[in-house]
Amino acid sequence: MTQTLHRIAVIGGGTMGAGIAEVAACAGHSVLLYDISAEAITRAIEGIRQRLDVRVGRGKISAEQASELLGRIAPATELNQLADAQMVIEAASERLEIKKALFSQLADICSPSTLLTSNTSSISITTIAAGVKHPERVAGLHFFNPAPVMKLVEVVSGLATSTEVVEQLCQCVIAWGKQPVRCRSTPGFIVNRVARPYYAEAWRALEEEVASAEVIDAALRDGGGFPMGPLALTDLIGQDVNFAVTCSVFNAFWQDRRFLPSLLQQELALAGRLGKKSGHGVYRWPAEVSPELAVAAVAPENAAKNIKRDVVTELDDVLLLETTGETALALSVQHQRPVVVYDHAAGDTVVLASAPTNPDSATDKAVYYFQQQGKKVLRIADYPGLLVWRTVAMLANEALDALQKGVASAEDIDTAMCLGVNYPHGPLAWGEALGWGRVLRLLENLQQHYGEERYRPSALLRQKALMEMRHE
C-alpha cells in the first residue's frame, strides 16, 4: 500500500475542502478539486486566490509562489476524473448516505491502492468503509478549520483500516507541516468527544442562572486560561452546528447523560439565533463582551490572617476554601461559620461564591483578600464546583475515559486538545497537576449533589487517585 502520493483529489468545494486543497497544493502536490457544483469549485479556487493575495501582500510568500500553488489545483466536474489520484480526501456534506455512495463509487473508479479518506468530524469511519472494496485503505483525516492555519489532523482508524495506511497518512500529514494524532473511530473521535464538557458545564450554569453569560465566559477565559469563553465560542462555531455535534455524540453514546444537550441551546438554534453568522446568539455580534467584575470592597478591619494558605484561610470568622464540589452553604452548615469558596485560578481572575446565609461583610473580606493580591474578582451564585474547577475536572475525567477505552494515547489526547481547541493544558496533564485525588473528590461531591450519572468518575480516575495516595 505504501506509495508516493503525487496526485491528491479533494471532494467538496466548501470551506474545508478548499482549505485542504490549499494545504496539499502548498506541499507541492498536484490537486484535483471536485464538487457536483461547478460554481462551488469556482468560488473555492477564487477564495484560495484571495487568501494567497493577502499572504503576498504581507510578504509571507512571493507572487510567483502563489501563482505556482494555484497552478497545481485543477477543477474536476466528473468523479471519473479522480481515477489517477493516489489519495482522495472527502470533505462533502456530513450525511452518511452521501459519504457511503461516494466511497462506493470511488472504490470502483480508483486503483485498489488509492487511499480513501474522509474529513468527517462525527461519522463512523467503520460505517463509511463497510461494503467498500479494500476497506483497509479507508481512514479518517479530520482537519480543523481553517485547515491552512490549524496544525492538528486526527488520523482515524476504522475497524478494517490497516496500520500501514495509518502510518502513511501520519507521515503525509507531517510532510504538510501538520501534527497528526492517531485515534480509533468512536463518536466524536478525540476533540469533539473530550471537549463536550467545556460547553455543557457552561450551558448548565447559564440555565441555572448562576451568573450572566459574560461572567461565565470571563471565568473560563480569564480564570481558567482558555482562549475564549465557551458560550462565545458556541456563537462563533454556530449554535446550530455546536448543538448538532452534541446531539450526535449524545445519541452515538446511547444517550449517556455525560453528553446531555442543552435545552437552552436548542431554543437558540430553533429561534435562528445562531451566533456570529446570524448576528445574534448568546450575544449580539459584533460584540464587546466585558465581564461584570465585583465592586471593589472596602478593607474591613483585621482583614486577613493566613493560617494554612494552601489548605484553608481564615479571615477572622470567615473560612475561605478552594472548592471541592460542595456548596458554600453546605460547608457553612458543617463548620457553623460563614464560608466563601473560590475557584481554581490559572490567571489573574478569581471566581468566588458565598453561602447565602453569610453577612455581606464576609464576602467583602474575601473580595478584599484577593484584591490585595492583585486579583480581579468575579462573584457568582453559590454553585457546587464553581465554574473552572468543575469544567477542568469533567474534561480530565472524559479524557481518562477515552484513554482507558483505547481511543488514543495519553500524549495524543493532550496534543489534540491543545492544538485542536487551543486549551492551555492537555486535560490529562492538567488533571495530574491539580491532583487526581482532588479531581475525584470534586466529581464525587457533584454526583452526590445532583444525584446524576453525568458526574460519575471514570474507573481510571479512581485508580489514578489510589495510586497517587499510595505515593504520598
Side-chain angles (χ1 to χ4, degrees), residues 124-447:
S124 164
I125 298 301
T126 297
T127 305
I128 292 173
V132 172
K133 295 175 184 176
H134 306 291
E136 68 278 358
R137 39 82 177 264
V138 178
L141 209 57
H142 180 214
F143 291 77
F144 288 75
N145 191 27
V149 176
M150 297 295 283
K151 290 291 187 184
L152 184 73
V153 179
E154 292 178 320
V155 180
V156 188
S157 300
L159 202 57
T161 310
S162 75
T163 55
E164 186 182 11
V165 165
V166 170
E167 184 58 34
Q168 185 173 5
L169 290 174
C170 287
Q171 292 305 314
C172 179
V173 167
I174 292 169
W176 291 355
K178 305 293 184 183
Q179 175 63 56
V181 290
R182 298 168 173 84
C183 62
R184 285 197 301 108
S185 181
T186 59
F189 308 144
I190 301 174
V191 174
N192 277 327
R193 172 186 179 165
V194 177
R196 289 345 301 157
Y198 187 62
Y199 311 112
E201 292 308 310
W203 284 115
R204 181 161 206 166
L206 192 62
E207 287 171 343
E208 296 187 14
E209 300 185 341
V210 171
S212 68
E214 290 85 354
V215 168
I216 293 168
D217 276 348
L220 275 297
R221 183 186 66 237
D222 304 331
F226 291 92
M228 180 178 282
L231 299 172
L233 184 53
T234 59
D235 262 2
L236 194 64
I237 294 167
Q239 296 301 338
D240 52 343
V241 174
N242 187 259
F243 181 68
V245 172
T246 299
C247 290
S248 173
V249 173
F250 176 61
N251 289 319
F253 276 103
W254 310 116
Q255 303 189 340
D256 190 315
R257 298 283 294 186
R258 286 179 300 159
F259 307 107
L260 185 68
S262 163
L263 289 173
L264 182 54
Q265 187 178 29
Q266 178 179 249
E267 284 290 284
L268 291 179
L270 291 173
R273 289 175 51 172
L274 307 181
K276 186 177 181 181
K277 62 186 175 184
S278 71
H280 194 189
V282 176
Y283 303 103
R284 289 193 177 276
W285 293 83
E288 291 183 4
V289 179
S290 56
E292 299 170 7
L293 299 179
V295 177
V298 177
E301 291 184 23
N302 305 316
K305 182 181 180 184
N306 192 349
I307 307 298
K308 289 184 178 181
R309 184 170 179 175
D310 59 336
V311 178
V312 62
T313 301
E314 287 191 342
L315 309 173
D316 298 331
D317 60 330
V318 181
L319 276 182
L320 183 61
L321 306 171
E322 185 173 19
T323 182
T324 56
E326 297 173 278
T327 62
L329 178 60
L331 292 166
S332 181
V333 169
Q334 177 186 335
H335 293 287
Q336 292 297 297
R337 58 194 293 188
V339 170
V340 177
V341 293
Y342 63 95
D343 212 342
H344 170 64
D348 64 354
T349 297
V350 176
V351 179
L352 59 80
S354 292
T357 52
N358 285 358
D360 291 342
S361 61
T363 307
D364 289 344
K365 289 175 183 178
V367 171
Y368 181 73
Y369 172 78
F370 284 113
Q371 289 179 335
Q372 286 294 96
Q373 299 174 44
K375 302 288 187 181
K376 298 175 184 176
V377 177
L378 291 173
R379 289 175 54 185
I380 66 172
D382 190 15
Y383 192 54
L386 300 182
L387 297 171
V388 180
W389 240 119
R390 70 190 279 161
T391 299
V392 173
M394 288 290 281
L395 289 170
N397 192 50
E398 193 57 45
L400 283 174
D401 190 64
L403 175 63
Q404 185 173 27
K405 291 172 180 172
V407 173
S409 69
E411 181 182 0
D412 278 354
I413 289 171
D414 274 359
T415 297
M417 301 315 291
C418 289
L419 294 183
V421 278
N422 296 317
Y423 285 179
H425 312 284
L428 296 172
W430 208 345
E432 184 171 5
L434 291 174
W436 294 120
R438 299 171 74 200
V439 173
L440 175 61
R441 181 182 176 191
L442 186 131
L443 290 176
E444 286 180 332
N445 284 332
L446 286 175
Q447 190 177 26

